[in-house]
Amino acid sequence: MAVLHRRHTRAAEHELVGPCGDTARDTARRTVEDAPVGSMTFYRVHLDRGRNAFWAMKEESEQLYETAQALLDPDTGSFTDEVSERLEYVGSALLVMDRAPLDPQWRGHLADLGASWRTDVS
């Protein structure tokens, strides 16, 4: 999944023509563009498809295994009793964000990105 930063830029100066043929300069015109800043990797882990989700996550990566250890019972592959008590019903799948690397030119500039992050499936 691509991570995009929406930014507003000023467009070139345009000349507006009114209904009577009069002209005026429009210098406040803005355009919007989305600049790629990185990517994200997600895993959708099904807890009800017959395979033990705990061991499937362990086989995939060390990071997913650490997540499984915190949330899932190794015997059942479902949420531990403690996790189940803390969560409301969340369905039968778990979405885990595994990585979110930023492109080198954006590293160290999270404040610049602010709340304008949005994601598009690429």
Side-chain angles (χ1 to χ4, degrees):
M1 178 179 294
V3 179
L4 304 174
H5 170 60
R6 175 159 285 173
R7 59 184 169 197
H8 299 274
T9 58
R10 290 206 182 273
E13 191 173 296
H14 296 279
E15 191 171 85
L16 300 177
V17 179
C20 299
D22 54 332
T23 61
R25 295 252 181 235
D26 178 16
T27 57
R29 190 164 210 185
R30 294 177 156 243
T31 60
V32 175
E33 57 184 36
D34 292 328
V37 299
S39 63
M40 291 182 172
T41 303
F42 290 90
Y43 287 92
R44 185 173 180 190
V45 181
H46 295 279
L47 304 175
D48 64 346
R49 298 271 172 103
R51 184 169 182 209
N52 186 309
F54 181 92
W55 299 112
M57 291 173 72
K58 181 180 181 188
E59 290 173 16
E60 187 62 37
S61 75
E62 182 64 31
Q63 291 82 8
L64 287 177
Y65 179 51
E66 290 173 9
T67 301
Q69 289 176 310
L71 300 175
L72 304 178
D73 181 307
D75 294 328
T76 66
S78 296
F79 291 119
T80 64
D81 291 340
E82 182 182 345
V83 172
S84 292
E85 289 173 10
R86 292 177 176 236
L87 296 176
E88 292 185 28
Y89 178 74
V90 295
S92 61
L94 178 65
L95 185 65
V96 179
M97 183 174 63
D98 189 43
R99 288 181 209 98
L102 290 176
D103 293 344
Q105 66 270 23
W106 287 94
R107 293 177 189 159
H109 298 284
L110 286 179
D112 296 340
L113 297 176
S116 61
W117 278 52
R118 74 181 191 91
T119 58
D120 285 332
V121 176
S122 57

